[in-house]
Amino acid sequence: VSARIVPYGSFRLGVVDKQSDLDLLAVLPQQITREEFFTAFCVRLCKGEVVKELRVLSTAFVPVVKFKYRGMEVDLTAVCLANFKSVPTDPLFLSQFPTEELDPRCLRR
């Protein structure tokens, strides 16, 4: 089972500077639950030597994992695909993705 990590925000737009953080989105297939992402994945993430100051904010309005990766601040959010056993690798997939395919907890209406 694999997920996909994609950049967004200022990094994706190419308007970063030394003080910018890196906004990343983890796109998860249906087999990986939000709970697993915010627990088991984060435990594995903090075992690495390059990740420091890990903070898991799983109950925030927008759940996020904040950490420093080799000194750079990273905000990692996640979205779960409700009906996909794997995450498509097509680069246009996310720009054309219907929100009906998301886990309802990933939507704010």
Side-chain angles (χ1 to χ4, degrees):
V1 176
S2 64
R4 207 170 138 192
I5 306 289
V6 294
Y8 68 97
S10 59
F11 181 82
R12 180 77 170 118
L13 294 172
V15 292
V16 296
D17 62 19
K18 292 179 185 177
Q19 287 76 34
S20 297
D21 66 350
L22 179 58
D23 297 309
L24 298 175
L25 174 66
V27 183
L28 310 172
Q30 66 185 15
Q31 303 93 306
I32 302 174
T33 66
R34 290 168 61 92
E35 292 75 19
E36 289 172 321
F37 175 79
F38 286 108
T39 56
F41 172 75
C42 291
V43 167
R44 292 186 71 187
L45 188 62
C46 71
K47 287 184 179 179
E49 294 181 20
V50 295
V51 173
K52 306 288 183 203
E53 299 179 29
L54 183 89
R55 293 177 290 145
V56 178
L57 306 170
S58 61
T59 59
F61 183 74
V62 177
V64 64
V65 178
K66 294 178 166 282
F67 57 93
K68 285 192 177 179
Y69 178 79
R70 297 185 178 182
M72 178 180 239
E73 292 197 25
V74 176
D75 289 347
L76 177 62
T77 55
V79 64
C80 303
L81 304 180
N83 299 311
F84 286 79
K85 291 185 186 243
S86 63
V87 178
T89 56
D90 176 5
L92 296 177
F93 170 72
L94 293 175
S95 65
Q96 301 169 346
F97 190 74
T99 56
E100 296 82 33
E101 298 294 336
L102 298 176
D103 178 322
R105 293 176 296 172
C106 296
L107 298 171
R108 298 284 183 207
R109 294 180 190 216

